[in-house]
Amino acid sequence: MYNLAYGILASALAEITQGIIFSDDNAWEYSKFPCLPNEFNTFYFNPEMTTDNQHKEWAIKNIEWIFKEYDSDSRSP
């Protein structure tokens, strides 16, 4: 969940400040940065929008974990 939140926060901050998003720490595909928030929102955490298998697998794994962890049907009352 933290990984997704970092991206949402980066996008929101860039949007508020009319800035750009840049990352060179391998958080996502380096070749896609720098970018504007609307561009970022199309590819961050979207496995279909990456050509890098490592990032694709990472996104799928995290998305599956989020659904598993926060699925209201799987939690007891």
Side-chain angles (χ1 to χ4, degrees):
M1 191 63 164
Y2 295 115
N3 294 320
L4 178 60
Y6 290 143
I8 293 170
L9 182 60
S11 179
L13 185 59
E15 183 74 32
I16 289 169
T17 61
Q18 297 179 349
I20 62 167
I21 301 168
F22 178 78
S23 176
D24 64 354
D25 67 353
N26 203 28
W28 201 253
E29 288 180 88
Y30 179 75
S31 64
K32 296 188 182 278
F33 295 103
C35 63
L36 296 171
N38 62 337
E39 296 168 318
F40 179 79
N41 295 337
T42 65
F43 68 79
Y44 186 69
F45 246 80
N46 184 347
E48 300 304 316
M49 296 299 292
T50 181
T51 57
D52 181 272
N53 283 335
Q54 181 180 0
H55 287 104
K56 182 181 263 189
E57 290 172 14
W58 176 85
I60 291 170
K61 177 179 143 191
N62 278 275
I63 291 166
E64 288 173 349
W65 183 87
I66 290 169
F67 276 108
K68 179 182 173 193
E69 187 68 20
Y70 294 97
D71 181 10
S72 60
D73 294 335
S74 67
R75 294 182 169 225
S76 44

